[in-house]
Amino acid sequence: RRRNEGQDDDFGPPLFGDEPTDQHEATGRLTFDAGDTGQLPPWTDPPTGQVPTTLGGGAAPDHTDDLDVWSSFSGTAPVWSDDPEPVDEFDVPARTTGQVERTPGDIYADDLDEGAGEPRRGPGRITIGTDPTDDRAARPMPTGRGRGRNEPVRGARPAGKPGAATPGTGGRNMPVAVAMGLGLVAVFIALLLVGPVAAMVMVVAVIGLAAVEFFGKVTEKGYRPATVVGIAAAVGFPLAAYWVGERALPVVMLVAFVAGCLTFISASSLEASPLPNMAVTSLGLIWIGFTGAYAALILHASTVSLLTAAGPTKHVGTDTLFLIALAVVANDVGALFIGSAAGRTPLRAWISPNKTVEGLLGGAVMTLLAMVVVGVSDKSTSWNSTGDLIILGIVVSIMAPIGDLVESMFKRNLDVKDFGTLVKGHGGVLDRFDGFLITLPAVYYLMEILHPWVTK
């Protein structure tokens, strides 16, 4: 549109001039000649090759920063500078300062106890091994478990040849171990020679002390079991079994379970954590009291009239218990020395890095050799067949290592080296008799099936 005559030009010089060409006036069309373009706007200047800078402080642009349309799904969420950064529960940086609002279920660096090395869990997360109803009464997960997928188990064999186990005896004092073992064997044999009642004294004492060690250690680690009920029931199992027989075991178990439940029912609130603590109580009852009672059942066989073709067998219980002790000791000695000398393949490294497959086989060979020697020398008046003794050796070779692994597994879970301190640096009663606990029930039922005293 033509500009009005005399109007101030506030918008700069006209772009195409003020007067139309004759052609425009004649045809009504706008045309341009070579010299009629006028001054072009600044965006038509020749390109300089420069890129506009959008970063402050003159920072150079990052030409590699391409747009990733999936970054909102795979990247990490932004964190405000004044908030502590959520961290992985097993990869926790230094402690943060300041008090900020927390999101339930997240674990922050502030959640670490001084020197504890593990986070305190908030109410937003339920952890296996704790009572989700009350964090104050729940036992925190010890540092020996729940590690990250790539984090090595504490106490595992050092880096070296793949698959190679660490030979050795786990830092034990071998002279002390040998002396202690010989002393226990001497006392045990002397009591067996006196009779089954004297042997029962040792059985009850061992089970009672083992129960005290177990309940004391789990209490130290934060559980609150029914300790009095657990120890009393553990001692009551062998006494009832020796007095009444096998049918006494379920009765004692039922009474102990009800008594334990009543202990937690009488608590003032749910802070007593009845579920995990009653579970720990039941573990002690079954693992120590129930299985240990089978030693009393074996001795009980010497007090009943077993009239067979061979006549009364008053020594069957004491003979069988002696053979069990001989086989378990032979298994431990064979596994120790063969494993130390030639152990290369870990048996269950996450439980005990010093136990090897070679040690397991060496213990089995030593056990069978001991049973063959007993059979050939005809030293047992109850187990008359070398074949039966070999079967006994096979059963012990399987069950004794299982009992040892079970105890080591529980110690690893509790993050303790030993359950007791009967001998400083060597462990307690439960640590020394763990191989017997699973072996005793198996041998008792083997004895009931084979009736070795009548085998010709």
Side-chain angles (χ1 to χ4, degrees):
R1 181 179 302 181
R2 289 178 59 86
R3 193 179 303 273
N4 295 330
E5 294 287 339
Q7 186 178 2
D8 292 338
D9 191 0
D10 296 333
F11 300 97
L15 181 60
F16 303 108
D18 294 334
E19 297 296 330
T21 63
D22 295 338
Q23 184 181 359
H24 175 265
E25 293 177 352
T27 61
R29 295 180 180 180
L30 181 64
T31 60
F32 297 95
D33 293 332
D36 293 340
T37 58
Q39 184 179 0
L40 295 178
W43 56 80
T44 61
D45 292 341
T48 61
Q50 297 180 353
V51 179
T53 302
T54 58
L55 298 177
D62 185 5
H63 299 287
T64 62
D65 187 16
D66 297 331
L67 177 62
D68 183 5
V69 297
W70 300 104
S71 60
S72 61
F73 298 93
S74 60
T76 57
V79 180
W80 298 110
S81 60
D82 57 344
D83 289 341
E85 180 182 0
V87 295
D88 183 75
E89 56 182 338
F90 301 112
D91 186 17
V92 183
R95 294 177 61 89
T96 59
T97 58
Q99 298 296 326
V100 296
E101 183 177 358
R102 308 294 180 86
T103 302
D106 285 342
I107 298 177
Y108 295 85
D110 281 341
D111 292 328
L112 289 177
D113 292 329
E114 262 322 311
E118 82 171 315
R120 297 191 301 270
R121 303 182 181 275
R125 178 177 299 180
I126 297 177
T127 305
I128 300 301
T130 63
D131 181 8
T133 58
D134 190 350
D135 279 350
R136 290 175 297 173
R139 196 195 73 82
M141 181 183 292
T143 57
R145 64 180 176 180
R147 299 168 175 84
R149 179 174 299 178
N150 297 323
E151 182 181 351
V153 177
R154 183 168 57 193
R157 60 185 184 278
K161 183 178 179 181
T166 303
T169 58
R172 300 295 189 183
N173 189 324
M174 288 306 298
V176 173
V178 172
M180 179 180 179
L182 292 177
L184 290 174
V185 168
V187 173
F188 178 67
I189 293 177
L191 293 175
L192 287 178
L193 292 175
V194 173
V197 175
M200 268 296 299
V201 174
M202 184 173 183
V203 169
V204 173
V206 167
I207 295 176
L209 290 175
V212 170
E213 291 177 349
F214 172 77
F215 286 105
K217 187 61 66 174
V218 296
T219 301
E220 175 186 322
K221 288 298 178 178
Y223 290 104
R224 293 295 179 265
T227 301
V228 175
V229 173
I231 296 175
V235 173
F237 270 113
L239 293 175
Y242 186 79
W243 177 36
V244 178
E246 189 177 355
R247 65 182 183 273
L249 296 183
V251 177
V252 177
M253 176 59 71
L254 177 62
V255 172
F257 178 77
V258 173
C261 291
L262 289 175
T263 300
F264 294 103
I265 290 174
S266 62
S268 59
S269 69
L270 198 60
E271 291 184 2
S273 297
L275 181 59
N277 289 326
M278 190 61 208
V280 172
T281 304
S282 299
L283 172 62
L285 293 177
I286 296 174
W287 181 36
I288 299 174
F290 186 85
T291 59
Y294 279 88
L297 288 177
I298 292 173
L299 291 174
H300 180 70
S302 295
T303 66
V304 297
S305 178
L306 299 176
L307 297 177
T308 65
T313 54
K314 64 179 180 179
H315 300 297
V316 61
T318 52
D319 283 357
T320 302
L321 199 59
F322 173 78
L323 290 174
I324 293 174
L326 177 63
V328 172
V329 170
N331 188 272
D332 287 342
V333 171
L336 176 64
F337 287 101
I338 301 299
S340 300
R344 294 294 181 271
T345 308
L347 185 59
R348 300 304 286 170
W350 70 273
I351 295 177
S352 180
N354 290 321
K355 292 181 173 62
T356 62
V357 175
E358 293 80 6
L360 176 68
L361 297 177
V365 171
M366 187 67 70
T367 303
L368 293 175
L369 182 61
M371 294 298 98
V372 169
V373 170
V374 172
V376 172
S377 60
D378 197 20
K379 294 298 183 180
S380 176
T381 59
S382 301
W383 292 71
N384 300 319
S385 169
T386 303
D388 290 343
L389 288 168
I390 291 177
I391 296 176
L392 174 63
I394 294 174
V395 170
V396 173
S397 298
I398 296 173
M399 295 301 172
I402 292 177
D404 194 11
L405 285 172
V406 167
E407 197 248 4
S408 297
M409 178 177 64
F410 291 152
K411 288 194 298 185
R412 175 75 68 179
N413 201 177
L414 291 172
D415 196 24
V416 298
K417 183 175 180 60
D418 296 308
F419 273 105
T421 56
L422 180 65
V423 177
K424 184 175 178 59
H426 195 66
V429 173
L430 185 54
D431 301 292
R432 304 282 65 80
F433 289 90
D434 52 357
F436 287 86
L437 294 177
I438 307 297
T439 303
L440 289 169
V443 174
Y444 172 77
Y445 290 113
L446 177 67
M447 182 182 71
E448 290 290 307
I449 294 172
L450 292 180
H451 294 283
W453 53 86
V454 300
T455 304
K456 298 297 184 182

